[in-house]
Amino acid sequence: MRYLIPAFTGLGLLLAFTAEDVLTRIVNRFNAYQREFPQEKVYLHCDRPYYALGETIWFKGYLFDAASHRADTVSRVLYVDLISNGKTLLQKRFLPGEGMATGDFYLADTLQEGQYQLRAYTNWMRNFDEDFFFTREFQVYQPTATERNVVQAKEECSIQFFPEGGDLVQDIESRVGFKAINQAGRSVAVQGVILENDKDTVTAFQSEHLGMGRFMMTPQAGKTYTAIVKHGTSTQRVPLPNVQSQGHVLIVDNLSNKDMIRVFIFNQVPATEANKELYIIAQMRGEVLFVAKGTTGKKTFVANVPRAKFTEEGIVQFTLFGANAEPLAERLAYVRQPNSILSLELKTDKAAYKPREKVTLEFEAKDAAGRPVLGDFSLAVTDAGQVTPERYPQTLVSYLLMSSDLKGFIEEPGYYFDPQNPNAVLHLDFLMMTQGWRRFNWKQILTEEPKKPTYWVEQGLSLTGKVTRPNGKILEKKGINVTLFMTPPRQAPVLEAVSAEADGSYAFHNLYFGDSVKVMVQAVAGKNDRNLSVTLHGFPQPTVRLTKTPFQPIDMQAEAFAEYLSRANENLQIERQFRLDKARLLKEITVKARRPEDMDGRKIYGHADATVKFDQMNSSGATSIFQVLQGRVAGLNITGGGMDYTVQIRGAMNFSGVVEPLFVLDGMPVDKQTVATIPPTDVDYVDVLKGASAAIYGSRASGGVISILTKRGNTAYDWSKEAVPGQLVRVLDGYANVREFYSPDYSVDAPEKLRPDYRSTLYWNPHVQTDENGKARVTFYNTDHTTQIQAQLEGACSDGRVGATKVSYRVQ
């Protein structure tokens, strides 16, 4: 993520006004906000629109800097939650590389049928409204269910009216947008009339696209306006917003001129407010691109905004400010810029194929000028005969350029980016008038000093917790040292130490470890006060809001859906039988043995180089642990006495003299003087680690390790379940393991050839990478199904340009 400071490219109008205090204040506050709170965007490309229990959700995550849309390479933890019924069922953490991460969720057959949600975000994104997390709703079906309750949306609808710019102002002709939805959140076609004082008809209106439309009206002072709305066989009355006696109306013409966006300002102010300055600011994704000035002395003024000012495609926010820097009116507009969208071509090597025949897909990516593009794309190939494709689905293009900057549910987002839709530009303008915008709140930016972020940008995994007394009280004295031990598989051991804050909180940052890692956290106050309670917080899980995003249903053919569930049930039964057969191959055995000492939960190492067992024979009469150890371990030299012992493991020397070993008491590093005070009768055994064996403790163990384990119960005691004072042991899941999608190769003899193949996802490849010529090739094999196949590909290049395309072919 690049921390961009907005620059002014609209210099033609700006130069004359740089001395304006109001304008300077607005711009400086906005810049300060951008510096303190640069934002991120996340998108997930999933292989299918819906699933059955027993199947796997395959996805690829894309991370972007919200300002430049370049790949975000700063946040190194991507959180993805699987949510159902307002609860987070499972959370996985992924390590992005170059702003991308791949993952999956297995939908166990023990789950319930119903509506689910994927939610993706970074820790930094938690500083902002959770509405800007990526969310995707989908249905999960129980393949063995034979009956389903079909919930019909009630006929009642909700309709909202949006005066352009924000308010209806008396005697100013205004455009009013509207949007109608039913109780399921889906659009409703409506028509109706506007009545003045419940009597005279002012105008008629009718929705044009997905329940949206607009009309013109000139409101009059002292009058009220009511809409009589008809939808289906129902009629309802809805009051329009109140008419303001004074104010400003902002109207944006984004359709009539190919070179200019025309911004009209209409003023209705009292004589005392005449000749005060007004300012228009246009910003896109945190960058101010145009500034203009006018006055309230004119009833109307117009700002012509050259489209050339906007070099990127996306949503522009036009805001009118008053002389005191207060926002007066606002309007969104969408600016087309072909340079932002890649030209992608995906084609098959044949028009039709046979079952289990090899398929070759050729892919080429170019920019708007026809130059080849290096990029990373994800490809999902599905059986359209089983899984019905969505109508105008969300893609990386529609989400990054439009949906990610809007709040609320957007129906059929892909419609606005389909070049085959001649009215897409007009209907997108309807959407800009009626959809919520909340990424930048001007009042908050201008009236408050920028606050420090609550959540940090994670460069790795973070473990946080708190140290208190066992009764929960905060320690009065300072100096709490907290040590973290863990040994991730196939990685170097981790040993880190930090000092706790005054309230006992501690944190370890920038960690890297995978699934199922044993973590030990130990704390000591002062020199040897271990009468402490250590807690470890879980990974962040933002609250799940109960307000549901409307589920976007898919019109499915009954026969195709029934076949999909039947095939899914067959696959589920085959997998169950496979697991059962595998389990029967294992013979029952009984193991009779004592738990080895190496299972001691206080130890993070394996076998020691030497172990001295303390018993009545060797410790009788000894006053120090060092007396017991003298002469009992080869290579361990102990000299001196009392509180002044010198301990050295042979070979631990440097130019400065003796390098003494690291002393560890019940897993906690302590000093030599502490060890000297421990009665030998309290010690169970002592491990000695030399050379490479001590490397697990890091550089502090360059002289080896003396590990003292005190007596705690009998030899069969389960150490992992003991609550050791000042110590906490947990098994944590870190970064999720990345699984590879299984794609059979039918060109060779293999056992899977004997099994029927009716997979609904034929092929999933999260990393289709183009070469220097902008080309790539993938191959896979068809299933046994004679059907229509659809391949959906989308992705991005490093400079933020995105693209999406699809191709279909027939298996016969």
Side-chain angles (χ1 to χ4, degrees):
M1 177 171 57
R2 296 187 177 183
Y3 285 30
L4 296 179
I5 300 175
F8 294 98
T9 57
L11 296 179
L13 284 171
L14 182 62
L15 288 176
F17 312 123
T18 53
E20 296 287 351
D21 292 339
V22 173
L23 199 55
T24 301
R25 178 189 173 195
I26 295 172
V27 172
N28 287 344
R29 291 278 187 153
F30 188 68
N31 287 352
Y33 180 83
Q34 296 304 310
R35 286 192 298 269
E36 292 288 339
F37 292 94
Q39 299 188 29
E40 296 175 311
K41 296 181 179 182
V42 172
Y43 172 78
L44 296 186
H45 176 204
C46 300
D47 63 318
R48 289 200 268 120
Y50 54 87
Y51 300 87
L53 295 177
E55 295 183 325
T56 297
I57 304 170
W58 299 94
F59 61 85
K60 178 179 179 179
Y62 294 84
L63 282 75
F64 298 93
D65 168 45
S68 66
H69 282 179
R70 292 181 178 273
D72 181 0
T73 58
V74 174
S75 286
R76 301 287 288 168
V77 185
L78 172 64
Y79 297 91
V80 182
D81 300 337
L82 180 65
I83 297 171
S84 178
N85 294 323
K87 296 181 180 180
T88 300
L89 303 180
L90 185 63
Q91 181 190 81
K92 287 190 177 184
R93 293 156 293 281
F94 300 92
L95 176 63
E98 298 300 323
M100 301 176 189
T102 61
D104 66 272
F105 278 106
Y106 172 69
L107 298 171
D109 53 14
T110 55
L111 296 174
Q112 299 295 317
E113 177 176 292
Q115 186 176 339
Y116 286 71
Q117 181 187 90
L118 283 181
R119 179 176 64 173
Y121 53 93
T122 66
N123 193 56
W124 177 257
M125 292 173 67
R126 297 174 64 202
N127 289 301
F128 311 100
D129 196 324
E130 292 177 13
D131 282 336
F132 294 107
F133 290 2
F134 175 85
T135 57
R136 182 178 185 274
E137 288 70 33
F138 58 95
Q139 194 75 11
V140 174
Y141 297 99
Q142 169 58 260
T144 58
T146 57
E147 295 184 2
R148 286 180 173 81
N149 294 325
V150 179
V151 179
Q152 298 288 344
K154 295 183 179 180
E155 193 173 354
E156 291 83 0
C157 80
S158 171
I159 183 168
Q160 289 181 288
F161 293 92
F162 303 89
E164 188 165 9
D167 292 316
L168 289 174
V169 181
Q170 69 177 39
D171 300 327
I172 297 179
E173 186 178 27
S174 302
R175 289 194 299 196
V176 180
F178 63 88
K179 184 174 185 177
I181 58 174
N182 60 20
Q183 291 193 346
R186 299 282 291 178
S187 60
V188 176
V190 296
Q191 59 181 337
V193 295
I194 304 297
L195 299 182
E196 183 180 89
N197 291 339
D198 283 337
K199 295 180 180 180
D200 300 328
T201 299
V202 174
T203 187
F205 63 89
Q206 183 174 352
S207 59
E208 296 184 43
H209 173 69
L210 296 179
M212 295 182 290
R214 63 188 177 200
F215 56 85
M216 300 291 296
M217 65 175 292
T218 304
Q220 301 298 317
K223 296 182 179 180
T224 60
Y225 296 89
T226 304
I228 307 299
V229 184
K230 295 182 179 180
H231 47 94
T233 59
S234 301
T235 301
Q236 66 185 95
R237 303 169 66 88
V238 180
L240 266 63
N242 294 331
V243 178
Q244 305 299 316
S245 60
Q246 60 188 46
H248 310 270
V249 172
L250 183 154
I251 294 179
V252 174
D253 176 11
N254 189 30
L255 303 175
S256 64
N257 192 303
K258 67 177 183 178
D259 299 320
M260 295 283 182
I261 299 176
R262 306 187 72 194
V263 181
F264 298 86
I265 304 298
F266 300 90
N267 303 309
Q268 184 69 271
V269 297
T272 56
E273 297 293 323
N275 295 320
K276 288 195 174 183
E277 292 177 338
L278 297 172
Y279 306 93
I280 299 173
I281 290 182
Q283 69 88 14
M284 175 188 284
R285 302 203 297 261
E287 184 176 6
V288 175
L289 298 172
F290 180 85
V291 175
K293 187 178 76 169
T295 70
T296 58
K298 294 183 178 180
K299 192 77 173 178
T300 304
F301 70 90
V302 181
N304 292 314
V305 187
R307 294 186 184 273
K309 296 290 183 184
F310 308 102
T311 58
E312 302 290 338
E313 178 161 340
I315 296 175
V316 180
Q317 183 181 19
F318 291 96
T319 308
L320 177 69
F321 291 92
N324 295 322
E326 72 277 19
L328 303 174
E330 195 165 86
R331 166 74 146 89
L332 302 183
Y334 192 90
V335 175
R336 300 280 183 178
Q337 178 51 261
N339 292 332
S340 298
I341 301 179
L342 299 174
S343 174
L344 307 182
E345 182 181 12
L346 186 65
K347 57 184 179 181
T348 60
D349 58 334
K350 296 173 61 176
Y353 298 85
K354 297 178 180 179
R356 297 202 178 191
E357 185 178 357
K358 183 178 182 179
V359 179
T360 299
L361 290 182
E362 300 283 351
F363 171 56
E364 186 172 9
K366 298 179 181 179
D367 61 16
R371 295 183 295 265
V373 170
L374 286 169
D376 196 302
F377 303 82
S378 44
L379 173 67
V381 182
T382 56
D383 183 344
Q386 296 186 60
V387 181
T388 304
E390 294 177 274
R391 174 182 167 88
Y392 300 121
Q394 185 85 272
T395 67
L396 179 56
V397 174
S398 63
Y399 184 79
L400 188 66
L401 299 181
M402 181 189 69
S403 303
S404 58
D405 287 324
L406 299 172
K407 291 183 68 172
F409 173 68
I410 300 176
E411 190 173 348
E412 297 185 356
Y415 169 89
Y416 306 103
F417 296 87
D418 188 343
Q420 304 302 318
N421 296 328
N423 295 319
V425 174
L426 173 62
H427 295 160
L428 182 54
D429 204 48
F430 292 170
L431 184 71
M432 293 299 102
M433 290 185 65
T434 58
Q435 195 73 27
W437 165 276
R438 291 295 184 275
R439 190 175 283 278
F440 299 105
N441 186 321
W442 282 113
K443 289 186 177 179
Q444 178 180 353
I445 293 172
L446 297 176
T447 59
E448 300 178 5
E449 289 294 333
K451 297 179 180 179
K452 294 297 181 181
T454 304
Y455 305 99
W456 59 89
V457 175
E458 290 183 315
Q459 296 292 296
L461 297 172
S462 299
L463 296 180
T464 62
K466 198 167 187 177
V467 179
T468 63
R469 288 298 185 191
N471 60 7
K473 292 185 177 181
I474 305 297
L475 275 71
E476 296 180 358
K477 59 183 178 181
K478 299 181 180 179
I480 304 174
N481 294 317
V482 185
T483 306
L484 169 70
F485 304 89
M486 66 177 175
T487 309
R490 298 178 298 279
Q491 291 180 231
V494 175
L495 173 61
E496 292 190 15
V498 297
S499 297
E501 301 293 335
D503 63 351
S505 61
Y506 67 88
F508 296 93
H509 298 301
N510 303 332
L511 303 173
Y512 175 84
F513 58 94
D515 284 346
S516 300
V517 174
K518 188 175 183 180
V519 174
M520 179 188 295
V521 181
Q522 295 178 325
V524 59
K527 288 188 175 182
N528 194 29
D529 183 356
R530 292 183 291 161
N531 184 29
L532 306 172
S533 175
V534 182
T535 59
L536 184 64
H537 301 156
F539 291 103
Q541 290 193 359
T543 303
V544 178
R545 296 181 179 177
L546 295 179
T547 53
K548 292 185 178 180
T549 301
F551 173 62
Q552 186 160 336
I554 302 170
D555 296 328
M556 297 180 288
Q557 295 292 331
E559 294 180 0
F561 181 62
E563 182 174 8
Y564 163 67
L565 293 181
S566 175
R567 299 300 185 190
N569 188 39
E570 289 178 11
N571 289 334
L572 185 60
Q573 296 302 325
I574 290 173
E575 292 299 327
R576 284 175 175 169
Q577 188 63 43
F578 178 77
R579 292 196 298 268
L580 181 61
D581 292 342
K582 188 175 181 180
R584 287 172 177 169
L585 294 176
L586 301 177
K587 296 181 179 179
E588 180 179 348
I589 59 174
T590 303
V591 177
K592 296 182 179 180
R594 290 191 308 174
R595 179 184 299 271
E597 291 182 347
D598 289 335
M599 295 297 291
D600 193 327
R602 299 169 292 177
K603 297 163 56 175
I604 66 170
Y605 51 88
H607 294 284
D609 293 302
T611 299
V612 176
K613 183 72 176 178
F614 280 48
D615 53 33
Q616 186 174 3
M617 181 178 297
N618 62 18
S619 60
S620 177
T623 59
S624 169
I625 292 175
F626 298 122
Q627 290 179 348
V628 180
L629 293 178
Q630 280 178 322
R632 284 188 167 86
V633 177
L636 176 63
N637 298 321
I638 300 176
T639 59
M643 296 297 291
D644 190 22
Y645 282 96
T646 298
V647 183
Q648 180 187 5
I649 296 175
R650 186 180 301 157
M653 293 280 290
N654 62 20
F655 292 110
S656 300
V658 174
V659 178
E660 291 198 325
L662 173 69
F663 297 96
V664 179
L665 177 62
D666 287 336
M668 184 70 191
V670 294
D671 56 30
K672 184 173 58 176
Q673 286 69 31
T674 300
V675 175
T677 63
I678 300 174
T681 54
D682 289 345
V683 177
D684 189 6
Y685 60 95
V686 172
D687 285 338
V688 180
L689 282 66
K690 310 174 184 178
S693 301
I696 192 171
Y697 286 95
S699 60
R700 291 194 295 171
S702 59
V705 175
I706 303 294
S707 177
I708 302 100
L709 289 305
T710 58
K711 295 177 180 178
R712 296 182 186 275
N714 59 55
T715 55
Y717 188 75
D718 188 351
W719 293 93
S720 65
K721 296 181 179 179
E722 181 180 350
V724 180
Q727 177 179 295
L728 181 72
V729 178
R730 292 285 186 270
V731 176
L732 300 179
D733 289 336
Y735 285 115
N737 294 326
V738 178
R739 292 200 301 156
E740 184 176 352
F741 180 84
Y742 171 70
S743 182
D745 182 357
Y746 289 129
S747 65
V748 298
D749 291 331
E752 59 262 27
K753 276 194 169 183
L754 303 176
R755 294 173 56 179
D757 185 1
Y758 289 94
R759 291 169 295 121
S760 49
T761 298
L762 283 71
Y763 183 70
W764 166 254
N765 188 338
H767 291 294
V768 179
Q769 297 176 330
T770 53
D771 58 20
E772 63 276 6
N773 297 315
K775 296 182 179 181
R777 173 186 292 180
V778 297
T779 59
F780 56 90
Y781 288 83
N782 290 317
T783 63
D784 295 326
H785 201 195
T786 55
T787 183
Q788 189 77 17
I789 303 297
Q790 176 168 289
Q792 175 76 29
L793 182 140
E794 49 193 83
C797 55
S798 60
D799 63 4
R801 288 172 296 172
V802 294
T805 189
K806 59 185 178 181
V807 69
S808 299
Y809 65 86
R810 186 73 189 174
V811 179
Q812 57 191 26

